[in-house]
Amino acid sequence: MQPLVRGGASLLLFGDVFVLYIALFGTLYLRYGEVSKDVFILHATPFTVLFVIWIIVFFIAGLYDRHVSLVRKSIPSRVFKTQAANILIAALFFFTFDVGIEPKTNLVIYLVLSSLCMLGWRLFVYPRIVIANTTRVLVIGDSDEALGIAKVFANNPYFKGMKPFMLSKRDIPNYDEFRNALVNFVKDDSVDMVIADMRDEFASRMVNDLYTFAFEHKNIRFYNLPVMYEALHHRVPPSLIEEMWFLENITTNAPHYAYDIVKRAFDMATALILLIPSLVLFPLVMLAIYLEDRGKFLYKAERVGKYNKPIYIYKFRTMSGTDNPNDALKSTLHVTWVGAFLRKTRIDELPQLFNVLRGDISFIGPRPEIPTLAKVYAENIPYYNMRHLVTPGLSGWAQIHNFDVPRGGVDIPRTIDKLSFDLYYLKHRSLLLDIEIALKTIHTLLMRSGT
């Protein structure tokens, strides 16, 4: 798929690196009045190591998320908070390692200068680079998804170069008039991009015309609506796909042998590393739970695993008791005071590191569901069971994007929303995507948000 705008996360990354070095040069100039080649190299060598770390911090802080560029008012606070954290990292770095320089004053100057440069780059320079010339977009269809895409182009400042038009049978109920309107749009060069919802009756009847237009008018780009929706929202709503989608994107893509081996090795190594400090916490957590209500420390919960097989995960008890899985729809338990703290800090999930070692779950993957709820969802939501084609995980694509998740009991609308992210992960799963999820999960944990 061709990009909607010039640039993106890669351009932001390149620009950030450039800004970091420019700010370093400016800091040395302000500090010493001039910058010789030797002085710059002396400082650039250790700072390059820091820049790599800082870029990772930028990523964790969400500065490369697609939506950050859309909400300009959030950029200054994010940049200043992230830069403050980076300077603290730099101070610890220079305190720990002898690199031949003592940039105490330089760090203060650099914090101010680099933050101002970063703001200028992201608020004023980057938007002028990425926004393309005015592009006239024709959206064909009357579905909620078609209307949603048109609204994105119309109202989102990131796509201010897009001028959308809607062609819907709601407005033109006569097919012949509908077809003539589309033909006129194309022949008069009134549009640069056509996005068609092929589920629409009129659009599907015009498939041969669209095919012809694609060859006769090479200056016009044609997109199927599901492809565009996925690119814009990084999710795949079940309403936009059919069985053939799974044959094309999931089944034939299933044998990721190298990926599965590396991911499993990473899971085992990371679980072992995290278990060492976690074992120190276990006695303290058990004591706190016992002192509150004298109840059990751990509980074993049944969940749906890969290929719909039952698995049993271990967690510290956070409720006033433990439910039978079949009671999930009518639970009367409540969260305890200690349990609320354990949930907020995610400490209650530390025993699941043993599940990771056993291979029941992974660090990254769709969250495992309670069997009783999964049965209800499978009966009411198309393709729901497809999320069980991969090993479930402690965190997933849905968890870092969809904070309005179901909370207790059956919730069909929110679960459909969550499933759309799980389907995107099924299609695009890779080590790079897993790394992105892991880094953003760290950000979520640090901010104590999400579920």
Side-chain angles (χ1 to χ4, degrees):
M1 176 177 173
Q2 301 177 50
L4 300 179
V5 293
R6 299 189 301 269
S10 58
L11 180 58
L12 271 176
L13 174 61
F14 176 81
D16 287 348
V17 172
F18 182 75
V19 165
L20 291 175
Y21 280 104
I22 288 295
L24 175 60
F25 183 88
T27 298
L28 297 177
Y29 184 81
L30 291 175
R31 184 75 168 89
Y32 304 114
E34 61 179 3
V35 184
S36 67
K37 180 180 177 181
D38 292 338
V39 170
F40 184 78
I41 293 177
L42 179 64
H43 286 76
T45 301
F47 269 91
T48 296
V49 177
L50 283 173
F51 291 166
V52 173
I53 300 173
W54 289 1
I55 291 297
I56 295 175
V57 175
F58 288 165
F59 198 100
I60 294 175
L63 284 174
Y64 297 110
D65 290 357
R66 178 176 52 86
H67 69 276
V68 170
S69 298
L70 314 183
V71 188
R72 288 168 58 90
K73 64 181 181 181
S74 71
I75 294 178
S77 63
R78 286 203 183 205
V79 168
F80 279 119
K81 289 178 181 178
T82 306
Q83 284 296 85
N86 282 341
I87 293 300
L88 177 61
I89 292 172
L92 293 174
F93 174 81
F94 287 117
F95 177 80
T96 305
F97 301 101
D98 182 10
V99 294
I101 59 174
E102 297 181 2
K104 297 178 181 178
T105 304
N106 289 352
L107 282 178
V108 177
I109 299 175
Y110 188 83
L111 172 61
V112 177
L113 188 58
S114 61
S115 298
L116 293 176
C117 289
M118 191 72 69
L119 286 178
W121 154 243
R122 284 179 171 263
L123 289 176
F124 305 108
V125 180
Y126 175 73
R128 294 180 180 275
I129 296 175
V130 300
I131 298 301
N133 296 326
T134 299
T135 301
R136 298 159 300 180
V137 184
L138 176 63
V139 181
I140 304 174
D142 62 352
S143 64
D144 292 338
E145 292 84 5
L147 180 60
I149 285 179
K151 287 182 177 179
V152 167
F153 290 145
N155 302 325
N156 201 311
Y158 189 75
F159 297 112
K160 66 182 180 181
M162 299 286 186
K163 185 178 181 181
F165 304 96
M166 283 289 294
L167 187 57
S168 166
K169 62 183 180 183
R170 294 181 185 178
D171 302 318
I172 309 178
N174 181 276
Y175 173 71
D176 291 331
E177 295 180 6
F178 182 95
R179 182 179 182 279
N180 289 335
L182 175 58
V183 171
N184 290 334
F185 263 114
V186 174
K187 288 187 175 180
D188 296 343
D189 289 328
S190 299
V191 293
D192 306 294
M193 181 189 301
V194 175
I195 304 171
D197 185 351
M198 300 312 296
R199 300 171 302 164
D200 183 85
E201 176 190 356
F202 286 1
S204 62
R205 289 173 64 179
M206 291 194 63
V207 63
N208 290 331
D209 294 298
L210 294 172
Y211 182 79
T212 301
F213 294 155
F215 282 92
E216 292 181 349
H217 302 270
K218 293 182 172 57
N219 59 317
I220 300 179
R221 291 173 285 172
F222 290 85
Y223 297 99
N224 193 6
L225 184 136
V227 175
M228 180 62 68
Y229 192 96
E230 180 180 331
L232 287 174
H233 299 287
H234 293 181
R235 52 193 287 200
V236 182
S239 60
L240 291 182
I241 58 178
E242 298 176 345
E243 284 79 1
M244 185 58 67
W245 184 89
F246 292 96
L247 296 177
E248 294 174 346
N249 297 290
I250 305 300
T251 306
T252 57
N253 217 18
H256 297 294
Y257 299 120
Y259 162 71
D260 290 337
I261 292 173
V262 173
K263 183 175 183 179
R264 179 65 184 138
F266 173 83
D267 283 342
M268 294 183 67
T270 305
L272 287 172
I273 293 172
L274 293 178
L275 268 174
I276 296 174
S278 298
L279 290 175
V280 178
L281 279 176
F282 281 14
L284 300 176
V285 175
M286 291 177 179
L287 178 61
I289 295 174
Y290 176 78
L291 291 177
E292 182 172 23
D293 62 9
R294 303 300 193 272
K296 295 181 178 180
F297 312 130
L298 296 171
Y299 76 94
K300 182 174 68 172
E302 184 179 357
R303 295 291 186 267
V304 179
K306 187 177 182 180
Y307 301 138
N308 276 317
K309 295 181 179 179
I311 59 173
Y312 295 89
I313 64 173
Y314 299 94
K315 301 180 71 173
F316 284 119
R317 182 175 58 85
T318 59
M319 305 288 286
S320 55
T322 56
D323 273 329
N324 182 290
N326 294 326
D327 297 330
L329 301 181
K330 52 182 179 181
S331 176
T332 58
L333 302 179
H334 63 272
V335 179
T336 65
W337 184 87
V338 172
F341 173 79
L342 296 179
R343 287 189 174 192
K344 188 174 183 180
T345 57
R346 307 303 197 276
I347 293 176
D348 65 313
E349 298 191 4
L350 287 179
Q352 292 179 58
L353 293 173
F354 292 105
N355 290 109
V356 174
L357 284 176
R358 288 189 354 181
D360 297 329
I361 59 177
S362 173
F363 278 104
I364 305 299
R367 286 284 287 176
E369 188 58 88
I370 298 172
T372 306
L373 297 179
K375 182 179 179 181
V376 175
Y377 294 144
E379 293 172 350
N380 292 274
I381 302 176
Y383 316 120
Y384 178 80
N385 276 331
M386 294 299 159
R387 71 192 300 273
H388 301 138
L389 288 175
V390 296
T391 303
L394 291 174
S395 182
W397 191 245
Q399 278 62 49
I400 65 173
H401 284 87
N402 179 22
F403 293 153
D404 189 24
V405 296
R407 298 178 185 276
V410 175
D411 193 327
I412 301 293
R414 285 190 175 93
T415 300
I416 292 176
D417 198 37
K418 185 173 72 170
L419 177 62
S420 68
F421 291 99
D422 290 336
L423 293 178
Y424 181 93
Y425 178 78
L426 276 174
K427 178 180 178 181
H428 296 280
R429 64 192 188 280
S430 65
L431 290 176
L432 288 178
L433 185 59
D434 286 350
I435 291 172
E436 179 178 351
I437 294 171
L439 291 176
K440 290 183 178 179
T441 299
I442 294 174
H443 173 250
T444 299
L445 292 175
L446 292 176
M447 299 301 294
R448 294 183 180 179
S449 61
T451 60

